[in-house]
Amino acid sequence: MSARAKPRGYLNPYVSGGFLGVVLFLAFFATGNGLGASGGIARILVSVEDRVVPEHVDRTPHLLAMAGGDTDPLDNWIVFVTIGALLGGFASGLLHGRIRPETQKGPRISIGTRWFFAFLGGLVMGYGARLARGCTSGQALSGGAVLSVGSWAFMFAVFGGGYALAWFVRRLWI
Amino acid sequence: MAPFALIDFLGKPIAYSIYLLIGFAFGAVLEMAGFADSRRLAAQFYFRNMTVLKVMFGAIVTAMTLLFLASGLGMLDMSRVWVNPTYLVPGIVGGLLMGIGFILGGFCPGTSIVALANLKIDGLFFFLGVSAGVVLFGETVGLYEGFYHSTPMGRFTLPEWLGIPAGWVVLLIVLMALFMFWGAEKLEGIYGERGKPTRASGRRFPPRLAGAAALVVLALVVLGIGQPTSAERWERIASGKQPLLDERRVQIHPAELVDLARNDLVRLLLLDLRDERDFNIFHILDSRRVTLDEVRDGLPALGLLSAPANTVTVLISNGEERATAAWKLLAASGVLNLYILEGGINNWLDVYGHPGHDASCPEGEASGGTAAAEAFAHRFEHALGSAQPSADPDALAKRAIEFTPKVELQIRKKLGGGCG
């Protein structure tokens, strides 16, 4: 019975939310910063770019701010939060026996289709996250908790965009 | 008082280790909530599994309530907590794109990292997509830089927008979240996956209700104790800052203001606290009139907390009394590089004169830079505002007047950086 009551052994969503809220609060309390993910990814990528094409980075204003000249794009708090999230996700998965190579998809599409749309969705989302100056973690979660007007508008836009398109792409998921 | 400038206190290796630990907890909670599974995330948009909404709003209201509680108790200085600056339109457009990406790809950047760590191959493809999107943005944002920086509103929060105290906003958001949770349960009951016993047992309800009640009580406590006023914040820092006033280290000579106005490295902000009548008769060029009440209530509207680091703010009144009161309020709110015009406008006009400046202008009490009186001591025939030579620092710079420089530019320890 208990296996059915808690499918896959995930934590109760309200308890998860409470935990996540406490983590977010402690982050703000100790450091003045919230959480984030896309910023860390961006900086890691820029550091790769800076190694391959340093002149190009120095000529592109948006990249220049992160990695111009001798500035090390990895010398930033958010990079460590991102790496920490990777490690924490791995540790929890290991502990709960959920680490296995697999593709999780809706029942009506092929694995190849899922991969394609995962990449496409990631592309759109990565672009949107930079345009909005933060992702679900850095804008919605962190900015929402400190009551930033822009973060709340952003949050409703994310749900709005998702719900607006959901019906048309339902074949992907249900 | 929290938050702490970790890098200064502990050095980078330890500070970054703490960030690593925060990230670790972040990733672990996301995984435990089941966010490494794209199906679980996407189900949100078909009302089948509302975990995303529950976790997200659960986290927001928990963190929000604790933050404003800590601030209300005087344990946390909210002015030093990073608040994402609002760029309304690019934020909304970016949000819509993210929503589209979410339903197509099934993750968001943070959850794809966790999925990747759990060897989910769709997570890997999503992560690669995010990477491509991030690089593409870096390459193309130059084409529409204007739009990217459009509708800037700086550090702009819901209490300021709604014009109600933060405590009320906290309570309203808690109630809104609880209503959404109630709705989410209903929706899952209608559209939820079969055989999922979400509301099967009666005994699962009480803890949930207890949690909701605890949250409401906490929000009421936040509302009850309120947020610290400027005066209370001044009390806390008075021992450190009062000597600056007493030793006259922040009262700058008129000639230093003239010098600052011509210094290209400094962004000078002149705030004139006098009555409108006096301001209209005479004010220094490019100064902006604000009332003491506006300073007390509308600090963020002045944009001082999100001003560039090289901003020097000089407070101006007829004497020094009102400027000093404003100085305390702003210093208590964490504004740096804050100065007072020595002797106020009365002394300024003693030094630089004005048309018709003669014996009819009583000098004695206004000169010497110690004037406490807030009355305008000079007589003008016309209300010229700043349309006269003695209001224009550029015109006055020719008269080289000796002064003791007092302004030292302090750079705010940068705590924040958002999604960097």
Side-chain angles (χ1 to χ4, degrees):
Chain A
M1 249 338 265
S2 67
R4 273 179 64 90
K6 282 192 173 177
R8 305 175 150 266
Y10 291 137
L11 201 58
N12 174 293
Y14 298 114
V15 176
S16 309
F19 277 166
L20 187 54
V22 171
V23 172
L24 180 58
F25 165 71
L26 288 176
F28 271 124
F29 191 79
T31 72
N33 279 312
L35 301 168
S38 56
I41 298 175
R43 284 179 173 272
I44 291 167
L45 291 169
V46 172
S47 107
V48 174
E49 267 190 273
D50 201 25
R51 261 161 223 151
V52 184
V53 281
E55 302 84 5
H56 175 70
V57 169
D58 288 342
R59 280 187 217 118
T60 311
H62 183 74
L63 307 177
L64 187 62
M66 286 190 267
D70 293 334
T71 313
D72 182 358
L74 300 181
D75 187 5
N76 186 283
W77 67 278
I78 200 161
V79 174
F80 293 87
V81 171
T82 307
I83 296 169
L86 187 74
L87 298 176
F90 178 75
S92 172
L94 200 62
L95 209 63
H96 295 96
R98 287 193 281 257
I99 295 193
R100 72 184 84 88
E102 61 180 322
T103 298
Q104 291 168 322
K105 61 177 186 63
R108 293 198 281 163
I109 53 169
S110 68
I111 286 183
T113 311
R114 171 69 188 118
W115 288 355
F116 172 77
F117 278 100
F119 183 85
L120 182 68
L123 183 88
V124 175
M125 188 165 255
Y127 199 93
R130 295 310 285 171
L131 180 58
R133 295 175 167 80
C135 59
T136 350
S137 324
Q139 270 286 3
L141 210 55
S142 307
V146 292
L147 306 181
S148 167
V149 172
S151 298
W152 279 87
F154 164 83
M155 199 179 332
F156 285 113
V158 173
F159 278 103
Y163 277 109
L165 196 64
W167 190 82
F168 299 101
V169 298
R170 61 192 183 283
R171 223 180 82 84
L172 291 177
W173 300 108
I174 57 177
Chain B
M1 189 168 32
F4 310 105
L6 288 186
I7 292 175
D8 291 348
F9 287 155
L10 305 170
K12 272 185 184 167
I14 299 178
Y16 283 163
S17 306
I18 291 175
Y19 280 116
L20 202 64
L21 211 63
I22 290 170
F24 186 91
F26 177 41
V29 176
L30 289 183
E31 201 286 330
M32 283 190 268
F35 283 3
D37 185 340
S38 54
R39 293 164 302 187
R40 197 172 166 84
L41 294 163
Q44 166 72 39
F45 293 100
Y46 301 99
F47 305 117
R48 297 189 163 200
N49 183 327
M50 306 292 279
T51 302
V52 171
L53 180 132
K54 293 179 195 174
V55 173
M56 204 160 140
F57 279 90
I60 288 174
V61 292
T62 307
M64 169 190 72
T65 312
L66 291 174
L67 281 168
F68 284 91
L69 187 66
S71 163
L73 294 172
M75 292 158 64
L76 176 73
D77 180 358
M78 276 304 265
S79 73
R80 291 171 62 232
V81 165
W82 170 258
V83 175
N84 301 56
T86 294
Y87 291 82
L88 197 60
V89 177
I92 290 174
V93 173
L96 287 171
L97 282 176
M98 283 194 61
I100 291 167
F102 204 149
I103 195 62
L104 290 178
F107 291 108
C108 64
T111 51
S112 78
I113 289 172
V114 175
L116 185 63
N118 281 258
L119 304 183
K120 308 303 173 220
I121 299 160
D122 48 334
L124 172 68
F125 275 96
F126 187 92
F127 181 83
L128 293 175
V130 170
S131 304
V134 166
V135 171
L136 190 65
F137 177 78
E139 300 305 317
T140 56
V141 64
L143 303 175
Y144 58 95
E145 197 81 35
F147 174 75
Y148 180 58
H149 292 290
S150 66
T151 53
M153 297 169 166
R155 184 188 172 110
F156 186 40
T157 63
L158 293 174
E160 289 150 24
W161 178 52
L162 299 169
I164 56 177
W168 281 107
V169 178
V170 168
L171 182 64
L172 287 174
I173 289 179
V174 165
L175 294 177
M176 182 187 83
L178 293 178
F179 175 73
M180 286 165 73
F181 295 158
W182 175 81
E185 295 297 330
K186 292 278 165 229
L187 286 169
E188 280 180 353
I190 300 167
Y191 300 100
E193 291 130 15
R194 244 182 323 152
K196 192 169 176 285
T198 36
R199 67 225 70 263
S201 55
R203 68 188 164 77
R204 273 168 61 96
F205 203 57
R208 201 179 279 178
L209 210 60
L215 209 53
V216 172
V217 168
L218 263 185
L220 285 171
V221 171
V222 170
L223 181 62
I225 55 179
Q227 296 296 302
T229 63
S230 301
E232 283 163 5
R233 284 199 293 256
W234 169 251
E235 288 302 316
R236 286 209 292 263
I237 61 156
S239 59
K241 296 277 188 184
Q242 186 67 43
L244 294 177
L245 290 170
D246 296 341
E247 293 162 21
R248 302 198 60 76
R249 279 155 60 188
V250 292
Q251 290 87 346
I252 63 167
H253 190 275
E256 181 160 20
L257 194 156
V258 167
D259 204 47
L260 283 173
R262 294 167 45 80
N263 185 341
D264 290 337
L265 300 177
V266 168
R267 179 177 174 272
L268 187 63
L269 184 65
L270 302 174
L271 296 182
D272 194 321
L273 290 129
R274 298 174 304 149
D275 298 336
E276 189 170 4
R277 174 187 163 275
D278 294 350
F279 184 82
N280 287 344
I281 291 174
F282 175 85
H283 62 258
I284 299 170
L285 189 66
D286 293 332
S287 59
R288 175 171 159 199
R289 196 179 79 83
V290 291
T291 66
L292 207 49
D293 282 340
E294 282 169 343
V295 171
R296 194 175 289 122
D297 306 331
L299 171 73
L302 301 175
L304 290 177
L305 287 178
S306 46
N310 64 338
T311 303
V312 172
T313 307
V314 181
L315 302 166
I316 300 166
S317 55
N318 278 328
E320 286 180 9
E321 194 182 313
R322 220 179 269 180
T324 305
W327 191 91
K328 289 179 180 176
L329 293 173
L330 291 175
S333 304
V335 178
L336 290 178
N337 302 317
L338 199 55
Y339 294 89
I340 294 167
L341 177 61
E342 186 176 68
I345 287 292
N346 286 341
N347 183 42
W348 174 276
L349 291 170
D350 286 346
V351 172
Y352 289 115
H354 61 86
H357 184 62
D358 54 31
S360 73
C361 288
E363 263 182 62
E365 57 179 325
S367 59
T370 53
E374 272 306 326
F376 196 14
H378 292 263
R379 306 267 179 276
F380 284 77
E381 282 198 25
H382 305 285
L384 291 169
S386 61
Q388 47 191 311
S390 52
D392 179 2
D394 271 340
L396 299 173
K398 291 192 287 285
R399 303 194 223 168
I401 299 175
E402 291 280 319
F403 64 90
T404 318
K406 292 177 180 170
V407 173
E408 288 170 34
L409 203 61
Q410 282 182 299
I411 304 295
R412 177 182 290 275
K413 292 281 173 286
K414 196 165 184 255
L415 287 176
C419 262

